[in-house]
Amino acid sequence: MLIETAIGEEIITTNLKQFLLVLSVSLGVATLPQVVGWFRHIPYTLLLVIVGLGLAFVDVRLVTLSPELILFIFLPPLLFEAAWNLRWPELKRNLVTICLYAVLGVVISIAGVAVGLNQLGGISLTTALLIGASLSATDPVSVTALFRELGVGKSLTTMMEGESLFNDGMAVVAFGFLLALSLGNAQLGIQPILLQLGVVIGTGVAVGGLIGFAISYLTQRFDLPMVEQSLTLVSAYGTYLIVEELGGSGVIGVVTTGLILGNFGSRIGMNPRTRVIVSEFWAFLAFFVNSIVFLLIGDQIRFSILGENLQIIAITIATMILMRAISIYLLSSLSAVITQYQIPLPEQTVLWWGGVRGSVAIALALSVPIGLPEREKIIATVFGVVLFTLLVQGLTIKPLLQKLNLLGDAPLREQYSELATRYVALERVLQRLEKDHRPGINPEFYRYQETLIQGEIKNLQGKIDQLQLEYPHLSTFITEQFRDELLAIEADTYAEFVRAGRLNTELAPMLTDVWENGKG
């Protein structure tokens, strides 16, 4: 008994040391772009993959990457954070397109890759389908992080993030069905496929919605930022585990909960200060989890196995990129027919090339049972393709944005925001000085401060006018920013009345409709 206890403690100590080593290396590498100027040209997620590859090349293995580790520990917070920050008005505007990409796009990707591998690579159809399903989900974390940094348009970012969130669930469902089919545990037919798809997605949406709305109304009853922050974390993991236990898609469940809490619960149940605290918490958690996942992806590469399957990997890459192009351009045209809105061709091109693969593909490949024939070929192919998309597509997306003139004016907007914020702050200080004349303070002090602040306000106004003169298109950003402030004030007022019990339901901001009608 003592020997078993000692062995158990030794295993725990070893695992803890490995985890701390991974944590130290990943966070150290992830902070390099913020410290060293040259590294800012590379998204931190790709930098982590490159460092992981270097460790794999010298055969330094930090920890064994299991599918359970990704799916149950890493995936829920990544999904929740993305859904929390996805704004419903933007999502609703592009919902038809996103659903087409996430559903039909996955089917096209699986079918195309499977046929290509079967006909050109001589791979059995069963194995080819599993490879196609593993690689059907996009994971554009590094791409969307670059979008935000460069100020790329909201619509393009929303479409890429929304597709990724929804096609994760579709890919997991498709992979599970194809795996069960290969093991003889499922029937091939339209009716059983649709039935299983309905049950899996329906369970995820139902449970995710129930938990999301329950926590939204629960947080109305108190104002405790730490508790509300903890509830969002519990909801992410709790939703995933409960939905999976009920036979649904945990991915769909977490996305549903995150969307509800981010767009509804945070408005009616959290004051502005708490929303900021919770958002910052999730931003750090996503950074933390991504740092570990992408380092481990690079570190798990086995170069010898990749070399043995180079031909299969090359065929998979070619067919996957081709199918991605077909699905994006074809489904964008279909979306235009349905919605009467044509996505610009440059944006379609970015959506095509930016469809990189990542952690979900790795987790699905690793979850293939050991007894299944050609398991090692599936894993090697998926790892090779993921590596290509992260390094080649991920590192070339910025030059592509430049070539297509889609780079945003983030530095210019930031400069304006700083000037405008300082202007508003000094205006408030001036108002306070004019109203608050306290006894015992020399009037000369008030006059001096007023003169000083008025001079600085005039200086700031001149800089703002100069910016607007040099960059006329900046007026659009200024209008949008002011509109967002007005919407926030309106939504916060409704939420305040709901919390006070003076209103039973959350009202949708009227200004949203006014703005959209005005644009139309």
Side-chain angles (χ1 to χ4, degrees):
M1 186 66 179
L2 290 174
I3 295 175
E4 292 177 357
T5 303
I7 293 174
E9 290 178 352
E10 181 65 28
I11 293 173
I12 293 173
T13 303
T14 303
N15 289 338
L16 184 59
K17 287 180 178 177
Q18 285 183 328
F19 174 74
L20 292 175
L21 178 61
V22 170
L23 189 60
S24 301
V25 174
S26 60
L27 292 180
V29 173
T31 54
L32 274 179
Q34 306 301 322
V35 179
V36 182
W38 187 84
F39 287 112
R40 289 175 188 168
H41 300 288
I42 306 175
Y44 79 94
T45 48
L46 300 185
L47 189 61
L48 284 159
V49 173
I50 294 169
V51 172
L53 284 171
L55 293 172
F57 184 75
V58 296
D59 203 29
V60 175
R61 306 297 174 181
L62 296 174
V63 70
T64 301
L65 189 65
S66 67
E68 291 79 12
L69 191 67
I70 294 177
L71 291 176
F72 288 103
I73 299 179
F74 294 151
L75 195 56
L78 291 177
L79 293 169
F80 186 92
E81 188 270 342
W84 168 275
N85 288 308
L86 201 58
R87 298 278 68 89
W88 175 247
E90 285 290 331
L91 181 63
K92 182 174 67 173
R93 194 174 296 120
N94 299 286
L95 191 59
V96 171
T97 308
I98 289 170
C99 289
L100 287 173
Y101 290 161
V103 178
L104 295 182
V106 166
V107 174
I108 292 171
S109 177
I110 294 174
V113 171
V115 171
L117 283 173
N118 181 251
Q119 297 298 314
L120 302 176
I123 303 294
S124 67
L125 189 58
T126 301
T127 301
L129 284 169
L130 288 175
I131 292 174
S134 299
L135 293 167
S136 60
T138 56
D139 187 16
V141 173
S142 55
V143 174
T144 52
L146 192 65
F147 281 6
R148 293 192 186 99
E149 179 187 335
L150 299 173
V152 174
K154 287 183 180 179
S155 179
L156 182 57
T157 306
T158 300
M159 280 191 287
M160 188 158 280
E161 285 187 325
E163 180 201 2
S164 173
L165 284 174
F166 291 129
N167 71 13
D168 280 351
M170 185 68 183
V172 171
V173 171
F175 180 85
F177 177 81
L178 291 172
L179 184 60
L181 188 66
S182 65
L183 296 172
N185 299 327
Q187 295 179 334
L188 184 61
I190 298 297
Q191 187 174 352
I193 291 175
L194 292 178
L195 181 62
Q196 183 182 2
L197 191 64
V199 170
V200 169
I201 294 177
T203 304
V205 172
V207 175
L210 183 64
I211 292 175
F213 283 115
I215 292 179
S216 296
Y217 287 109
L218 178 64
T219 52
Q220 285 184 5
R221 302 183 178 276
F222 49 78
D223 184 19
L224 300 169
M226 294 299 290
V227 174
E228 294 172 72
Q229 179 177 288
S230 301
L231 281 173
T232 59
L233 183 61
V234 170
S235 70
Y237 283 107
T239 301
Y240 189 89
L241 293 172
I242 292 171
V243 173
E244 287 290 321
E245 191 67 26
L246 294 175
S249 169
V251 172
I252 297 293
V254 174
V255 169
T256 303
T257 302
L259 281 172
I260 292 172
L261 288 176
N263 289 276
F264 177 73
S266 64
R267 291 294 179 188
I268 71 163
M270 299 179 185
N271 62 43
R273 175 173 165 270
T274 301
R275 283 203 300 271
V276 171
I277 291 173
V278 174
S279 295
E280 288 179 347
F281 164 76
W282 279 103
F284 170 75
L285 192 59
F287 170 77
F288 176 83
V289 173
N290 273 321
S291 299
I292 296 174
V293 169
F294 281 90
L295 178 71
L296 292 180
I297 286 176
D299 187 53
Q300 296 301 303
I301 297 295
R302 299 293 191 273
F303 289 99
S304 59
I305 299 178
L306 288 184
E308 296 171 3
N309 295 277
L310 275 180
Q311 183 182 356
I312 301 301
I313 292 171
I315 293 172
T316 306
I317 291 171
T319 53
M320 186 189 71
I321 291 176
L322 176 61
M323 290 302 106
R324 176 74 179 170
I326 291 173
S327 64
I328 290 297
Y329 293 117
L330 178 65
L331 296 177
S332 294
S333 300
L334 179 59
S335 172
V337 172
I338 298 172
T339 64
Q340 305 301 311
Y341 170 71
Q342 179 66 52
I343 301 170
L345 191 60
E347 292 190 6
Q348 293 183 40
T349 303
V350 172
L351 287 168
W352 159 60
W353 192 247
V356 299
R357 271 60 172 179
S359 55
V360 175
I362 297 292
L364 292 177
L366 289 173
S367 67
V368 174
I370 295 176
L372 199 72
E374 298 187 301
R375 178 179 185 269
E376 291 301 318
K377 189 180 292 294
I378 294 172
I379 293 173
T381 304
V382 170
F383 264 91
V385 173
V386 168
L387 195 59
F388 173 87
T389 63
L390 287 174
L391 295 182
V392 177
Q393 293 178 247
L395 288 174
T396 55
I397 195 71
K398 184 176 179 179
L400 180 63
L401 288 167
Q402 291 173 327
K403 185 72 174 176
L404 298 174
N405 295 319
L406 288 175
L407 278 183
D409 49 6
L412 180 63
R413 293 185 177 199
E414 186 177 351
Q415 184 183 357
Y416 168 78
S417 296
E418 289 177 359
L419 291 172
T421 302
R422 186 162 176 78
Y423 182 92
V424 172
L426 291 178
E427 280 279 5
R428 291 180 182 178
V429 172
L430 190 60
Q431 291 172 9
R432 181 63 180 269
L433 277 172
E434 292 172 351
K435 293 178 181 178
D436 190 351
H437 287 269
R438 301 183 185 182
I441 297 179
N442 192 329
E444 188 63 32
F445 172 81
Y446 283 102
R447 284 193 293 272
Y448 174 75
Q449 294 296 330
E450 286 177 0
T451 303
L452 184 68
I453 292 170
Q454 285 170 350
E456 183 60 24
I457 287 175
K458 186 177 180 180
N459 182 39
L460 289 169
Q461 183 64 61
K463 291 180 179 178
I464 291 172
D465 291 343
Q466 185 65 28
L467 269 181
Q468 290 179 288
L469 185 63
E470 293 179 5
Y471 306 98
H473 66 279
L474 194 60
S475 59
T476 304
F477 167 69
I478 296 170
T479 306
E480 288 179 356
Q481 192 179 55
F482 185 60
R483 171 237 180 187
D484 289 342
E485 291 175 9
L486 296 178
L487 283 171
I489 292 171
E490 184 188 3
D492 288 342
T493 303
Y494 295 151
E496 180 184 339
F497 275 71
V498 170
R499 285 195 296 269
R502 298 168 63 184
L503 191 66
N504 293 327
T505 58
E506 172 76 354
L507 296 177
M510 180 195 72
L511 292 177
T512 302
D513 295 330
V514 172
W515 174 264
E516 290 180 351
N517 292 335
K519 287 173 70 176

